[in-house]
Amino acid sequence: MDALFITAGDRTQASSRLRVYELLPHLEEAGISTESIAVPQFKSGLDGLWMRSTFASNILWKVLRNDIVFVQKIRFPTWFTQILSKISSTLIYDFDDAIHLAPPGKDVGQDDIRQHNTLIEKSDLTIAGSRELVEYARQYTDEVKCLHTGIPRKKYEQHQNISDLDEDSILLGWVGNPENLHYLSDVEREISEVLERHDNLSLRIITAGTLPIRPFKDREGEDVEYVEWTLDSALADLAEVDIGLRPLRDDEWTRSKGGFTSIVECLALGVPVVATPVSLVKYLIRNRDNGFLAGSPNEWGIILSNIAENPSEIYQMSQEAIKTVSSWRFWTEDTAKGLINIINEEIKKE
């Protein structure tokens, strides 16, 4: 069986890496021959038109040679989707964000929404990253399944560092895309007050790219540091953190996320997490067991102050954090098994 994966980005883009590229070796072991191609950044003008035409032709040629065409989180022009649906033996569309909505601070055009919905409608199967996204997709198709995002067990096990904390030093950590920094800024005042009161706390922010905002910029060089995210260094940088932070907003965009990967990453490293109880998070994080749930800015201040004064609690939570990832089947091999089963079921329908 041959499968073509068309991805929204390369391995540096989290959704493409975790929902496609990390799964490919497992699919190969299961006898599925895979080929992948990432959508490039197109230039403007005539050069861009030529690039798009060449890319489209290349895709269509590859589609004809594969049994499965897997489109990951891309919005194609509706005419191109129509062609794909007609010439593909089996077309699968995968998305793990509410891309029919605009994330905070951004807009989404009606053409983008129409392209997204057309892909759902014309695909033989849609794979959604959360139950909320499944419900959205069911407006356009009955052929939809849920598959959460997984992370590679071996890579995280290599960086697990479970040890007693030095009570004089507790490193808080936030990791994520720069466009999500506004979530952190929502509790900047409360965290700053805790940092001011407790000398044993410091904060590491791991991100990359152009920063739309820069929370805690007045504290940089004192008890706050920005560390550039890279594919090679991110895990080691995050593994040094003692407590992960994930403030969120309770809105449709957040509730529809396909796995809350930054939280799962921390748990996989044995790092307990303080998070806002939104959607899956309120079940994933068990208060005072593998982390803490902070439902208001005031609770963020209280919880972090308690951590500063009682750091031994964190060590007791580390093993439970790791167990959570296994019990929820958030490892890549679990996701791969799910995808392999889905692909085999689709092939049997043909």
Side-chain angles (χ1 to χ4, degrees), residues 286 320 322-331:
R286 302 184 302 275
E320 288 303 317
I322 296 171
K323 290 178 183 177
T324 301
V325 183
S326 294
S327 64
W328 280 78
R329 295 184 159 185
F330 272 123
W331 296 118

Side-chain angles (χ1 to χ4, degrees), residues 73-347:
K73 204 176 177 178
I74 305 165
R75 290 179 289 224
F76 288 128
T78 53
W79 64 266
F80 190 76
T81 296
Q82 297 278 4
I83 295 174
L84 275 184
S85 68
K86 291 182 182 301
I87 68 173
S88 300
S89 297
T90 300
L91 179 62
I92 298 176
Y93 179 47
D94 175 89
F95 70 109
D96 64 332
D97 273 323
I99 55 180
H100 54 285
L101 301 172
K106 294 187 177 181
D107 296 315
V108 59
Q110 290 302 309
D111 283 345
D112 291 332
I113 297 173
R114 190 177 303 109
Q115 290 170 6
H116 173 54
N117 295 342
T118 300
L119 259 168
I120 296 173
E121 182 181 358
K122 295 298 181 181
S123 294
D124 296 291
L125 176 71
T126 293
I127 300 176
S130 69
R131 291 181 180 180
E132 290 82 359
L133 295 178
V134 167
E135 290 304 312
Y136 177 83
R138 281 183 176 150
Q139 298 176 84
Y140 305 96
T141 181
D142 294 327
E143 300 299 324
V144 57
K145 293 185 181 294
C146 184
L147 191 64
H148 290 304
T149 304
I151 58 175
R153 182 196 294 262
K154 289 184 179 179
K155 291 183 180 180
Y156 284 80
E157 285 180 341
Q158 291 170 359
H159 288 88
Q160 288 170 358
N161 185 18
I162 310 301
S163 61
D164 288 306
L165 285 169
D166 177 357
E167 294 191 9
D168 292 331
S169 178
I170 301 172
L171 181 60
L172 310 175
W174 184 93
V175 61
N177 294 324
E179 57 263 30
N180 289 329
L181 282 168
H182 58 269
Y183 293 123
L184 188 59
S185 69
D186 287 346
V187 290
E188 180 177 0
R189 181 173 65 85
E190 288 75 19
I191 295 176
S192 292
E193 289 176 355
V194 174
L195 291 171
E196 194 72 39
R197 291 196 306 268
H198 298 281
D199 293 337
N200 62 330
L201 290 186
S202 58
L203 171 61
R204 172 177 291 177
I205 300 170
I206 305 170
T207 191
T210 302
L211 308 185
I213 57 174
R214 198 177 185 95
F216 304 96
K217 61 182 179 181
D218 294 336
R219 305 192 70 89
E220 283 187 65
E222 298 177 13
D223 45 22
V224 174
E225 64 172 345
Y226 272 78
V227 175
E228 184 179 5
W229 185 97
T230 71
L231 190 57
D232 294 330
S233 64
L235 276 185
D237 292 332
L238 186 59
E240 294 175 351
V241 167
D242 299 309
I243 283 285
L245 307 180
R246 199 57 175 172
L248 296 162
R249 295 174 189 168
D250 192 357
D251 54 29
E252 189 175 356
W253 172 265
T254 302
R255 289 193 295 270
S256 298
K257 285 185 172 294
F260 297 92
T261 304
S262 60
I263 292 176
V264 177
E265 283 188 299
C266 289
L267 296 176
L269 294 169
V271 177
V273 179
V274 184
T276 307
V278 176
S279 186
L280 181 67
V281 178
K282 57 188 173 186
Y283 305 106
L284 190 61
I285 300 299
R286 302 184 302 275
N287 212 24
R288 308 188 76 87
D289 184 19
N290 59 359
F292 302 87
L293 295 173
S296 67
N298 185 54
E299 287 182 1
W300 276 87
I302 294 171
I303 289 170
L304 293 178
S305 290
N306 182 68
I307 289 170
E309 295 162 6
N310 303 281
S312 60
E313 284 191 33
I314 304 172
Y315 172 65
Q316 298 168 4
M317 296 179 182
S318 295
Q319 292 294 346
E320 288 303 317
I322 296 171
K323 290 178 183 177
T324 301
V325 183
S326 294
S327 64
W328 280 78
R329 295 184 159 185
F330 272 123
W331 296 118
T332 293
E333 56 260 40
D334 298 317
T335 306
K337 287 178 184 177
L339 181 57
I340 290 166
N341 290 335
I342 287 171
I343 289 175
N344 287 333
E345 288 175 9
E346 285 303 304
I347 289 296

Side-chain angles (χ1 to χ4, degrees), residues 55-72:
F55 179 79
S57 299
N58 187 31
I59 289 294
L60 295 177
W61 174 248
K62 290 178 182 293
V63 165
L64 294 172
R65 307 200 320 261
N66 284 271
D67 305 299
I68 295 285
V69 177
F70 186 103
V71 177
Q72 185 263 327

